[in-house]
Amino acid sequence: SPAPGGRASVGAAAVGGLAGRASVGRAGVASVPGGPGGPGGPGGPVGPAGGRSGRGARDPGASARAKKRRRINMMIAGFAVFIMLAGIGVVSFTYYSTTVVLPAQVPLPLSTTVYAKDNKTVLAKLGSENRQLVKITEIPEHVQHAVAAAEDRNFYRHSGVDYKGIARAAWNNLSGGDKQGASTITQQYARNAYENLKDDSYARKVKEAILASKLNDKYSKPEIMEHYLNVIYFGRGAYGIEAAAQTYFGVHTKQLTVAQAAVLAGLIKQPVASDTHQGFDPAVNPVDAKSRWTYVLDGMAAEGWIDAPNTPKRPTDAEYPKTLSPKKAGSAAFGVASPRGNVINYVRQEMDQWGICSDNGAAGKISCVDALRDGGYRIQTTIDPKLQTAAENTAMRAKKNSELNDQPKNLMAAVVSIEPNSGRVLAYYGGDSGADFDYAGKNTDKNGDLVGGHQPGSSFKVYTLAAAVNAGISVKSHWDATPFKPEGFDSPVQNANRDVSRTCGKWCTLEFSTIQSYNVPFFHVTEKIKPSAVLDMAKQAGVSTIWTVDPPKAYDLNKNDPKDLAPSKFDRVIGYGQYPVTVLDHANGLATLANDGKYNKAHFVIKVEKQNVDTGKWEMVASEKLKPQQRIRADVAKEVTGVLKQIPGPNNRSLDGGREAAAKTGTWEYDSRHNAHAWMVGYTPQLATAVWVGSRDPKKPQIIDKDGNDIGGSKLPGAIWQRYMNAALNGKDKESLPAATGMGDQDAGNGTEPPPPPPTTPEVPNCNPLDIFCQNPTNPGPGGPNNPGGPESPTPPGGNPTDPRPGGGNGGGILPTLAPRARE
């Protein structure tokens, strides 16, 4: 029994002496009277070994026994702590299990793909993540097995959580090692699918494990594999197996071979380089990528997924697949930084008009930017790949053989081509990047103002001519073409410094004035029919926006009555094209004339589809609905066409094979010596195209070609228009165009008919009867005026003498008091 006053606590291995005590985990031996080593005790006077009184000799086995007891006590204490912590863990796990709710549907940001008219050619991919959803039925089994072999070979056997991995991670973190955790496919999926699992914390690991467990209970293994393969990152900007297959190999998931699948599976561990490893992209780290590929194939073989009955054969080292260049991935192939990217702005606008999204923050509507970025739409546009390529090849400076390739760097071209009977925009070139200024359409400048129009010059006369015919004025009517200064003008209206006294002077038909592109007759016509009539005709044809020039301000014709805008904002000079319009609007107007006055709104989208995440099927969201409107009388449109078809020939811009085409040139001057804008617009029944050439340098607005010549409508724009139209219409049927009839009032003009020339009596030569070379006028020889074999002077329409200069392309004019508008 213990000595008086002595006690032993939990874990004591000896009896303490007076006031002696052993604490937990300690074992000591004290020799006191009555205790061990004392009288009657071991080692005492009566006991064996005869110990001394008061201090006994140390037992050699006592130390070993004490250490053993200490270890047992530590284990007991540790177990008690474990039980306590386990209890806390159970309570915490239970709490998390009841509070962590599995979302009904995992949100997947999906990229939107914009296709050309053929629904195959990709114009652009849009989104913060390059991701396209693919169903498990479209993922070959060997692709699934390759990923399992790379990331989780027990995937088909475990319950979604690697508990050993969690314990190992916990111990490693407690002992000061790097943070790590389990990496089953289910847990990786949970981590990548839910935004709140992106951080690196213990709470996240617990929540991740719970979600993985719940996912395993809710979904089958194939469903989990499908979800995982649609969220995981493969590098090069590719999220999900479909984007990866296209990014690395240029194929769809269902076309991946075993060798290609193993490459992609090997990427998942580390798709991009870090400070400590170069990653497993074969283009960046070919040695480790090949080793990782072998590791994946070894795992597939070990699991019996290859080289077993009814399974694929293992690829040999010689069959290691080659990946595409990384230059074709990332931002270059994923976005709008290309000439075709300009189309996306119109796609967004049309989605807004269809109510799919909102461009102006409408309540309850997702923004169109977000919809395109994350909505996963498949959009078929109207762009014809062949025609788009033709437009770029002729107008894009970067193209080696384009018309602009070797021209001064300040020059810029824009081309828009529309199908008249549908309004579909088949080709659109407004610049080299959809993220930059669009020279064919509308833009918003740094002040929030709408910009983008160009002064159309004489090309706008097509609407003035149509308005005149519509008002009952015949194209055979005569007008005064001589320059004059209207009341209130500081300078006279001119004909681009051409001397009309050598042609028709004060007696020019409207038809001839159109072909020769004289300005003065069109000023008189506009004054007669009123500027509002010209503006309204342009509106009916398809011009939606027009700008004033001093100061520049855009006006929406769909929201304003032309009578309220003209002549207060747009004076008589509208008749020959002083006021800017966009290339797109001008092409739409020409398309209406080509379609015999029947208007179809220019548009870029054929249909918008979205994938059903449950079925994987693409479902229609919206599609084009054509609403043709007879806005211009058919006889008026045909009469205009009959005049315009006489223009390409004299300008050396006829189309191949004698194909008839209607066209009009236009130029607007920067100053009295140089031009700032040049156009050629025209059409056949199948195609209407507008071409503009100007300057992209505000500091150098003059347009001068490489030879130092001013650029007029029939020159560089004409060359682009002619070459593009020939390429676009190659193989199409040749369709005839109507001729001008002269319908309407032929006496409507203000022309003054010149007096007839006085009759002349021919001088009769006194001929010797034997002189065979002497001719009497009553018997003219070869080449005489009445001899059909002699040369004839061509007579222009309306009986006007021929202008010795080429017809068309030199129209323009400027009011010196109006400074040219500097474009942003």
Side-chain angles (χ1 to χ4, degrees):
S1 64
R7 69 188 179 98
S9 62
V10 177
V15 179
L18 293 174
R21 101 183 213 190
S23 61
V24 175
R26 296 187 60 189
V29 179
S31 182
V32 294
V46 183
R52 292 181 299 173
S53 173
R55 188 170 182 84
R58 184 176 296 276
D59 183 354
S63 178
R65 289 192 298 272
K67 288 182 178 179
K68 181 177 180 181
R69 284 192 292 270
R70 188 162 57 243
R71 285 195 298 268
I72 293 173
N73 291 337
M74 288 180 65
M75 290 178 62
I76 294 172
F79 183 72
V81 172
F82 174 78
I83 293 297
M84 179 180 66
L85 294 176
I88 295 173
V90 169
V91 172
S92 299
F93 192 86
T94 302
Y95 171 76
Y96 270 107
S97 295
T98 56
T99 57
V100 174
V101 179
L102 187 68
Q105 182 174 321
V106 177
L108 287 181
L110 303 173
S111 64
T112 290
T113 305
V114 182
Y115 294 94
K117 182 182 174 183
D118 59 9
N119 221 15
K120 295 179 181 178
T121 304
V122 176
L123 298 183
K125 288 183 178 180
L126 311 168
S128 55
E129 294 181 357
N130 180 8
R131 190 199 311 275
Q132 297 178 59
L133 181 67
V134 60
K135 302 301 291 182
I136 194 66
T137 53
E138 298 174 349
I139 304 175
E141 199 170 51
H142 61 260
V143 175
Q144 302 175 46
H145 288 158
V147 172
E151 294 298 309
D152 185 2
R153 295 181 184 180
N154 289 320
F155 172 69
Y156 294 102
R157 293 188 285 270
H158 62 58
S159 60
V161 181
D162 184 355
Y163 292 104
K164 289 183 180 179
I166 293 175
R168 182 175 62 252
W171 174 256
N172 193 62
N173 294 332
L174 286 171
S175 62
D178 294 334
K179 289 185 178 181
Q180 46 180 260
S183 297
T184 69
I185 280 178
T186 313
Q187 286 176 275
Q188 289 185 55
Y189 164 56
R191 188 184 314 141
N192 283 276
Y194 302 111
E195 287 296 326
N196 59 357
L197 295 181
K198 300 297 185 185
D199 64 305
D200 188 19
S201 67
Y202 301 126
R204 188 269 294 168
K205 294 179 186 295
V206 174
K207 191 171 185 180
E208 175 188 297
I210 296 169
L211 281 172
S213 180
K214 289 192 172 188
L215 287 169
N216 193 78
D217 291 340
K218 180 175 181 178
Y219 298 109
S220 66
K221 291 294 184 179
E223 288 174 321
I224 293 173
M225 180 63 77
E226 174 190 303
H227 295 161
Y228 174 75
L229 286 176
N230 278 300
V231 302
I232 206 70
Y233 184 55
F234 288 86
R236 298 193 188 181
Y239 289 81
I241 189 67
E242 177 66 11
Q246 295 186 30
T247 298
Y248 284 89
F249 297 109
V251 300
H252 292 291
T253 303
K254 59 186 177 184
Q255 299 170 315
L256 287 170
T257 65
V258 173
Q260 291 171 334
V263 170
L264 296 181
L267 285 162
I268 297 173
K269 182 177 182 180
Q270 188 175 331
V272 296
S274 68
D275 293 338
T276 58
H277 193 270
Q278 287 183 292
F280 295 102
D281 187 331
V284 178
N285 188 5
V287 174
D288 285 357
K290 180 72 176 293
S291 176
R292 184 73 177 162
W293 180 74
T294 302
Y295 169 81
V296 173
L297 293 178
D298 287 346
M300 294 179 73
E303 293 292 332
W305 293 329
I306 55 174
D307 275 351
N310 301 318
T311 65
K313 184 179 178 182
R314 176 176 179 146
T316 65
D317 284 352
E319 294 174 304
Y320 184 74
K322 184 178 180 181
T323 61
L324 299 175
S325 168
K327 293 180 180 179
K328 296 184 178 180
S331 60
F334 186 73
V336 297
S338 75
R340 304 178 183 198
N342 278 310
V343 174
I344 307 307
N345 294 323
Y346 295 99
V347 170
R348 193 184 73 245
Q349 292 172 19
E350 290 179 30
M351 289 178 68
D352 174 82
Q353 292 163 9
W354 284 344
I356 299 173
C357 52
S358 173
D359 246 351
N360 54 14
K365 289 282 186 180
I366 186 174
S367 77
C368 289
V369 172
D370 289 342
L372 285 171
R373 185 182 63 219
D374 300 330
Y377 292 100
R378 185 168 69 183
I379 301 173
Q380 181 185 11
T381 69
T382 60
I383 299 297
D384 186 306
K386 173 189 169 185
L387 273 61
Q388 181 66 27
T389 299
E392 293 172 10
N393 286 344
T394 53
M396 187 176 174
R397 176 180 300 281
K399 298 294 184 178
K400 185 176 180 180
N401 296 317
S402 75
E403 298 297 327
L404 254 68
N405 180 252
D406 57 351
Q407 294 291 345
K409 293 183 179 180
N410 73 305
L411 296 183
M412 184 68 204
V415 180
V416 179
S417 197
I418 295 176
E419 186 176 63
N421 63 5
S422 68
R424 290 181 173 181
V425 179
L426 302 180
Y428 189 95
Y429 176 72
D432 296 341
S433 172
D436 296 330
F437 194 89
D438 181 1
Y439 290 91
K442 291 180 282 191
N443 305 263
T444 303
D445 68 9
K446 61 184 179 182
N447 298 319
D449 296 326
L450 207 59
V451 296
H454 312 293
Q455 289 163 303
S458 292
S459 69
F460 202 78
K461 292 173 182 173
V462 298
Y463 309 119
T464 311
L465 182 63
V469 174
N470 187 64
I473 297 174
S474 172
V475 298
K476 304 296 184 183
S477 59
H478 292 83
W479 300 83
D480 187 347
T482 56
F484 79 108
K485 188 170 74 170
E487 183 179 351
F489 279 48
D490 293 334
S491 300
V493 178
Q494 303 183 54
N495 299 300
N497 297 318
R498 285 177 290 169
D499 185 5
V500 296
S501 65
R502 300 173 59 188
T503 55
C504 52
K506 295 179 179 291
W507 191 246
C508 299
T509 65
L510 186 54
E511 181 177 31
F512 184 68
S513 298
T514 304
I515 296 168
Q516 294 298 315
S517 209
Y518 292 156
N519 297 328
V520 178
F522 278 84
F523 183 93
H524 293 308
V525 168
T526 305
E527 190 168 49
K528 183 178 182 69
I529 64 176
K530 308 225 181 281
S532 59
V534 177
L535 188 59
D536 185 63
M537 182 57 68
K539 171 183 176 178
Q540 298 307 321
V543 176
S544 64
T545 307
I546 190 167
W547 281 260
T548 55
V549 293
D550 189 20
K553 183 178 179 181
Y555 287 89
D556 187 341
L557 294 183
N558 293 321
K559 296 179 180 179
N560 290 278
D561 188 331
K563 293 180 180 178
D564 296 332
L565 299 176
S568 61
K569 305 294 182 184
F570 303 96
D571 198 6
R572 292 153 291 180
V573 286
I574 193 175
Y576 52 89
Q578 181 181 12
Y579 303 107
V581 296
T582 66
V583 183
L584 174 62
D585 274 0
H586 212 354
N588 204 172
L590 272 291
T592 301
L593 292 173
N595 199 34
D596 292 341
K598 191 173 289 186
Y599 165 83
N600 283 290
K601 184 179 180 181
H603 62 281
F604 291 79
V605 181
I606 294 177
K607 63 180 179 181
V608 177
E609 297 175 296
K610 190 168 185 177
Q611 194 172 21
N612 185 309
V613 295
D614 295 324
T615 66
K617 294 182 179 180
W618 289 94
E619 299 174 350
M620 187 76 71
V621 176
S623 63
E624 66 176 350
K625 293 179 176 61
L626 303 183
K627 297 179 180 179
Q629 305 171 36
Q630 191 72 48
R631 290 192 174 183
I632 302 173
R633 287 176 13 220
D635 59 343
V636 170
K638 290 179 179 179
E639 189 76 354
V640 171
T641 299
V643 174
L644 299 183
K645 78 172 187 177
Q646 302 174 61
I647 292 176
N651 286 280
N652 296 317
R653 294 304 176 197
S654 296
L655 300 184
D656 290 345
R659 184 188 300 273
E660 288 189 326
K664 185 71 189 79
T665 55
T667 306
W668 195 262
E669 298 173 352
Y670 172 71
D671 53 29
S672 60
R673 296 183 300 120
H674 300 296
N675 298 329
H677 303 278
W679 298 70
M680 185 156 183
V681 300
Y683 56 87
T684 67
Q686 303 106 316
L687 196 64
T689 302
V691 175
W692 164 87
V693 171
S695 175
R696 59 181 175 181
D697 184 355
K699 297 180 180 178
K700 191 178 180 181
Q702 303 91 333
I703 52 174
I704 301 170
D705 68 18
K706 61 181 179 180
D707 298 320
N709 300 316
D710 284 331
I711 296 173
S714 64
K715 295 187 179 178
L716 192 52
I720 294 172
W721 182 86
Q722 181 184 45
R723 180 174 159 188
Y724 166 78
M725 291 290 281
N726 280 330
L729 293 168
N730 184 33
K732 301 283 186 182
D733 292 338
K734 297 175 184 175
E735 299 185 26
S736 60
L737 298 178
T741 65
M743 68 181 208
D745 184 2
Q746 296 190 16
D747 298 324
N750 67 343
T752 302
E753 185 175 8
T760 58
T761 302
E763 182 179 348
V764 179
N766 186 14
C767 295
N768 186 319
L770 298 178
D771 187 357
I772 61 174
F773 296 103
C774 183
Q775 298 179 7
N776 290 319
T778 55
N779 183 28
N786 295 320
N787 190 330
E792 290 185 9
S793 298
T795 301
N800 297 292
T802 303
D803 187 340
R805 301 184 57 176
N810 294 308
I814 189 167
L815 300 181
T817 56
L818 298 179
R821 178 172 67 87
R823 291 176 291 110
E824 292 292 332

